[in-house]
Amino acid sequence: MPRFSIIVPSHGVAGRLGRALDSVLAQAFGDFELIPVCDAPGSAAADVAAGHAARDCRVAPVHAPPSAGLAGARNAGMRAATGTYLLFLDGDDVLVPGALAALDARLTETGPVDVLHFEHERAPWWEGEPGNPAAPLLADAPDGVFAPGRAPRLTGVLLPAWSAAWRRAFTVERGLAFPGGHFTDVGWGAAAMLGAERVAVLRSVVVRHLVRRQGSRLNLPGHHHAELLDQVELVLTRAAREGLPAERSGPLFEQLFGLVLKTAAHPRRLRSDRRAFFRRAGRLYRRHRPAGYRPPGGSLGVQHRLLASGCHLAFAALRGARRAVTGATALLPRPRGLRTRLRYRAQLRRPLDPHLAVYCAYWGRGYACNPAAIHAKARELAPHIRSVFLVEAEHAHTVPDGVEYAVVGSRRYWEVLARATYLVNNANFAEGVVKRPGSVHLQTQHGTPLKTMGVDQSVYPVVAAATGSFTRLLGRVDRWDYNLSSNPHSTRVWERAFPGSYEHLEYGYPRNDVYCTAGAGDVARIRAELGVPEGARAVLYAPTHRDHHTGFETGLDLEAFCEAAGDDVVVLLRAHYFYDRGGRGGGGGRVIDVTAHRSSEDVCLAADALVTDYSSIMFDYANLDRPIVVYADDWDVYRETRGVCFDLMDGPPGPVARTPDELARVFRDGSYADAESDALRARFRERFCPFDDGRAAERVVRRVLLGEPPEALPPVIPLAERVPAPAAAATLVRS
């Protein structure tokens, strides 16, 4: 019995089939059988397969009529297979060198598993950077063998059949076969994961998928899109029959209807069938929606609700408005390499646009932070200035309706960067961006520094290794004209960490304006959106990144903390943005994961108290004048490996806990919000919150975009006269 049976459907790919078969036969690991599935003897693909079979006895072609489709071809291959594990390979894709050896090694390590998911590479047909779409999904899976319930987002819906090895005996025992029609991978993968008991992942690329120039056949217009709903109904019916628990049914439901909404949003694919498609999808949604299911937030959540209510006209209007704003940008090419440089150079020869401003936050991670707050205020105070926000394609959904944006790397991205007079960023623009005479670069920063920054990191090896060239860093600093500061401490640190000729603007952080402008109604609305129960004490837990760790670790058993801290305590977990893959949301029990929520300011407004270690969020949260507890279980290690600008333990914003028991106790006995805690926070606010009075964005816009002199700007409201947004809890001290 061979280790692997590799099934290769070949309909319509005869010209590329030889390369696919060669990639298998060239593998160093040779314990396999190769089963090309051809239309009929004498067809072009059959001739290619026959030639390979004549040269290698491991090649055993079988036949399936074209009318059977992809599902019929794969099922024919499965019937002929004798191997322990099944692998599927499209006839125009290839196995990467060493793929079978890597699979064998991983399966030897795990022992028998029903499904072994692995990564694949999507390679553009002509030029462009390859992608690895499976990597983020597999990154969250457990390392060893696990039951599907431990990785509920690994539903089998989002991965193609050729991105896994399937134990053949398992498929036989469960009676698995590819369902007929289009979108067969959805039905197969979901059914397999519903029946699997032992699953593992291999975090390396096995298959290189060639993206066709004309795109996937599934995306072409036609009546076949109705078959997606057939697959969805098949899967959800099977899930209901098997009594899938809520923690798995929710992700499965959401991923299936994510595909449905993606199709519904492209009316050209559906032609005249779009109303019928939408109505049937709505019926399926209502019939199979899991009990207690909460739709995602943002625009996607609105689409969920419209689908559930059957409001096709409203859905079409929403999508039409969205496309009117963003469609042209999304379709622009993303040039790279020589052509990118030539286009950018050509744009640099054109004059600056005096009424163009470009904004970016967190390297294009979305509409957020100080740049977003300045952008919003500029639309109010300087409407004559055209504002363009730069975002990565996968974060374009965070841009509010009506906000003009450009996708990072697109032709339009380089055009606006070349011609903008004003460039605003909380990190740094790309290495190749030129500082033009007459342009104005504003660096807003994105936090008050506790940890070492900039060139100060050079003496800390772990951090310096990840920072890269300090010479290049300083080259980027030389582009700055203004650097925003939220307090005198920050000004001093920036001067040392980022030496340059820029002007400091001690105006406060625009993103913190909302802490003085929001009201009780805003707080209640945000808490409801995040799922905070009424009457609960919401404790925001926001740990920082550890340079000496390779992944996110909470550092606390949060469920245990809730139990020990009090019956009314819930935790809002917000990991560092380095660990936001866009997939978090919700949570189990009394822990609500808000890592993927677009606004850290919203999360802070919703929280009655903050627990953090050394994250800069403490300086922002202090503007709310609500309790803060520092959980410093590894302060000495952090200080030695990362380096700090001051000793937090000498002037904390509230009580300091070193152990989980100490942390729970300060909430249980109310000392987190007692008079001593208030006194610590007051001293902390005097030091770090002198300028955040709710008008920082206005000062920035008037000074930088409108050119008003410093003496004409709104004066800072004294700390004692500010009225922060109220907390939700009537009283924070509970015994």
Side-chain angles (χ1 to χ4, degrees):
M1 180 186 297
R3 181 70 151 163
F4 301 108
S5 293
I6 305 169
I7 300 167
V8 188
S10 61
H11 179 69
V13 294
R16 296 180 291 274
L17 178 60
R19 192 182 67 148
L21 301 181
D22 288 341
S23 74
V24 178
L25 297 176
Q27 296 287 315
F29 182 89
D31 187 15
F32 62 82
E33 61 179 3
L34 178 57
I35 308 175
V37 185
C38 308
D39 294 341
S43 65
D47 290 343
V48 173
H52 282 73
R55 297 194 302 270
D56 195 310
C57 64
R58 295 172 297 181
V59 181
V62 298
H63 302 281
S67 59
L70 178 62
R74 286 175 172 169
N75 290 335
M78 291 171 60
R79 288 192 294 269
T82 61
T84 305
Y85 286 92
L86 302 173
L87 294 174
F88 300 98
L89 186 68
D90 280 359
D92 51 356
D93 296 341
V94 297
L95 291 183
V96 302
L100 295 184
L103 285 172
D104 177 69
R106 180 60 172 155
L107 290 168
T108 300
E109 178 183 353
T110 62
V113 294
D114 298 328
V115 184
L116 174 66
H117 289 289
F118 49 73
E119 297 175 1
H120 63 271
E121 186 179 80
R122 288 175 54 87
W125 78 277
W126 179 245
E127 65 179 9
E129 295 295 325
N132 187 342
L137 193 60
L138 302 188
D140 292 331
D143 290 330
V145 178
F146 57 91
R150 293 183 57 201
R153 297 198 63 80
L154 204 58
T155 64
V157 170
L158 301 182
L159 294 175
W162 41 259
S163 194
W166 316 86
R167 188 168 62 88
R168 188 171 62 87
F170 157 71
T171 66
V172 173
E173 293 163 3
R174 298 292 298 187
L176 296 177
F178 284 88
H182 294 80
F183 306 97
T184 185
D185 282 9
V186 174
W188 164 271
M193 288 302 291
L194 286 173
E197 296 179 356
R198 290 172 53 84
V199 182
V201 300
L202 171 62
R203 296 186 180 93
S204 62
V205 172
V206 171
V207 173
R208 180 171 294 117
H209 171 65
L210 179 66
V211 179
R212 297 181 177 93
R213 179 172 181 250
Q214 67 274 25
S216 171
R217 288 188 291 263
L218 295 179
N219 294 333
L220 297 176
H223 301 296
H224 63 278
H225 289 283
E227 296 175 16
L228 172 60
L229 300 182
D230 295 338
Q231 303 290 352
V232 169
E233 185 170 18
L234 183 72
V235 170
L236 292 176
T237 300
R238 185 164 187 162
R241 186 169 62 246
E242 297 193 13
L244 199 66
E247 62 268 22
R248 294 185 62 192
S249 61
L252 176 65
F253 180 88
E254 187 164 301
Q255 290 177 11
L256 287 170
F257 279 95
L259 298 178
V260 170
L261 288 168
K262 185 177 180 180
T263 298
H266 291 79
R268 291 182 181 178
R269 294 182 187 175
L270 298 169
R271 292 179 174 170
S272 60
D273 300 335
R274 51 185 178 271
R275 291 180 182 274
F277 180 94
F278 194 87
R279 285 196 297 268
R280 183 185 172 197
R283 290 194 297 270
L284 286 174
Y285 190 103
R286 293 187 292 272
R287 185 187 314 151
H288 293 282
R289 178 169 46 194
Y293 174 74
R294 296 176 60 86
S299 175
L300 182 58
V302 174
Q303 295 176 51
H304 271 256
R305 287 187 282 274
L306 291 175
L307 182 63
S309 60
C311 298
H312 179 260
L313 289 177
F315 181 88
L318 173 67
R319 298 306 305 172
R322 188 72 174 176
R323 283 195 302 276
V325 176
T326 66
T329 299
L331 293 175
L332 286 173
R334 302 182 69 182
R336 296 182 182 273
L338 177 61
R339 286 197 292 175
T340 294
R341 293 192 293 271
L342 292 176
R343 289 193 182 108
Y344 183 52
R345 184 176 299 177
Q347 292 294 331
L348 290 173
R349 296 193 186 100
R350 301 177 66 188
L352 287 173
D353 185 341
H355 302 302
L356 177 60
V358 170
Y359 299 79
C360 191
Y362 299 118
W363 304 275
R365 292 181 59 85
Y367 187 84
C369 195
N370 293 319
I374 297 170
H375 174 277
K377 184 59 68 172
R379 297 177 75 188
E380 172 188 338
L381 299 179
H384 64 286
I385 295 179
R386 174 186 168 213
S387 300
V388 180
F389 221 95
L390 307 180
V391 292
E392 291 284 355
E394 60 266 31
H395 296 289
H397 66 280
T398 68
V399 181
D401 290 339
V403 172
E404 185 178 358
Y405 72 90
V407 173
V408 172
S410 69
R411 181 182 299 175
R412 188 158 169 268
Y413 163 87
W414 289 105
E415 178 183 345
V416 296
L417 278 175
R419 301 204 58 212
T421 295
Y422 307 97
L423 295 99
V424 181
N425 207 327
N426 72 351
N428 265 306
F429 289 100
E431 189 74 25
V433 173
V434 175
K435 174 69 167 75
R436 299 184 64 180
S439 66
V440 178
H441 286 232
L442 169 63
Q443 168 59 250
T444 74
Q445 304 293 346
H446 53 270
T448 292
L450 167 58
K451 60 190 177 186
T452 55
M453 303 292 291
V455 296
D456 287 350
Q457 301 171 352
S458 61
V459 296
Y460 295 91
V462 172
V463 186
T467 301
S469 169
F470 288 100
T471 300
R472 291 184 178 180
L473 170 65
L474 293 177
R476 295 189 289 269
V477 170
D478 288 340
R479 298 186 301 211
W480 303 354
D481 295 292
Y482 299 102
N483 183 45
L484 197 57
S485 177
S486 58
N487 47 61
H489 158 77
S490 295
T491 304
R492 292 190 296 270
V493 172
W494 302 145
E495 288 177 351
R496 183 179 67 247
F498 303 115
S501 58
Y502 52 83
E503 178 183 345
H504 288 286
L505 301 180
E506 292 187 322
Y507 293 170
Y509 276 165
R511 71 181 184 190
N512 292 342
D513 286 353
V514 68
Y515 298 144
C516 292
T517 60
D522 299 304
V523 173
R525 172 183 54 81
I526 295 167
R527 284 170 67 95
E529 290 176 356
L530 296 178
V532 178
E534 288 190 15
R537 278 186 296 171
V539 177
L540 172 59
Y541 178 54
T544 192
H545 168 63
R546 301 294 198 278
D547 297 270
H548 54 287
H549 289 173
T550 57
F552 173 65
E553 301 174 8
T554 63
L556 276 174
D557 183 335
L558 297 178
E559 290 285 359
F561 165 75
C562 290
E563 292 294 330
D567 293 340
D568 60 340
V569 170
V570 297
V571 167
L572 303 176
L573 169 62
R574 189 168 182 86
H576 192 276
Y577 61 83
F578 282 1
Y579 307 110
D580 174 19
R581 298 190 177 92
R584 290 186 173 89
R590 294 159 64 182
V591 179
I592 305 172
D593 192 339
V594 295
T595 301
H597 189 75
R598 66 174 184 84
S599 171
S600 62
E601 292 75 51
D602 280 0
V603 173
C604 287
L605 285 168
D608 298 308
L610 169 69
V611 173
T612 186
D613 40 23
Y614 326 118
S615 170
S616 64
I617 199 172
M618 72 177 76
F619 304 97
D620 303 316
Y621 192 84
N623 287 287
L624 288 168
D625 199 18
R626 301 178 190 174
I628 303 173
V629 178
V630 176
Y631 181 58
D633 62 329
D634 63 346
W635 169 249
D636 293 334
V637 174
Y638 186 85
R639 183 172 54 184
E640 292 299 319
T641 56
R642 186 60 172 87
V644 295
C645 303
F646 67 95
D647 190 347
L648 180 64
M649 300 303 107
D650 284 344
V656 176
R658 301 278 187 171
T659 67
D661 288 342
E662 291 179 8
L663 181 62
R665 185 170 64 249
V666 300
F667 281 90
R668 190 169 58 248
D669 64 17
S671 59
Y672 78 104
D674 62 11
E676 183 178 353
S677 174
D678 292 347
L680 289 171
R681 187 170 66 257
R683 289 193 292 271
F684 190 85
R685 296 181 74 229
E686 288 176 359
R687 181 178 180 185
F688 296 111
C689 305
F691 309 133
D692 288 326
D693 64 348
R695 304 190 71 179
E698 180 181 353
R699 284 190 283 270
V700 171
V701 171
R702 293 189 182 280
R703 178 76 169 89
V704 178
L705 301 184
L706 298 179
E708 295 183 7
E711 58 271 18
L713 303 182
V716 175
I717 300 172
L719 194 63
E721 297 177 18
R722 300 176 200 166
V723 181
T731 176
L732 292 173
V733 180
R734 313 279 181 92
S735 61

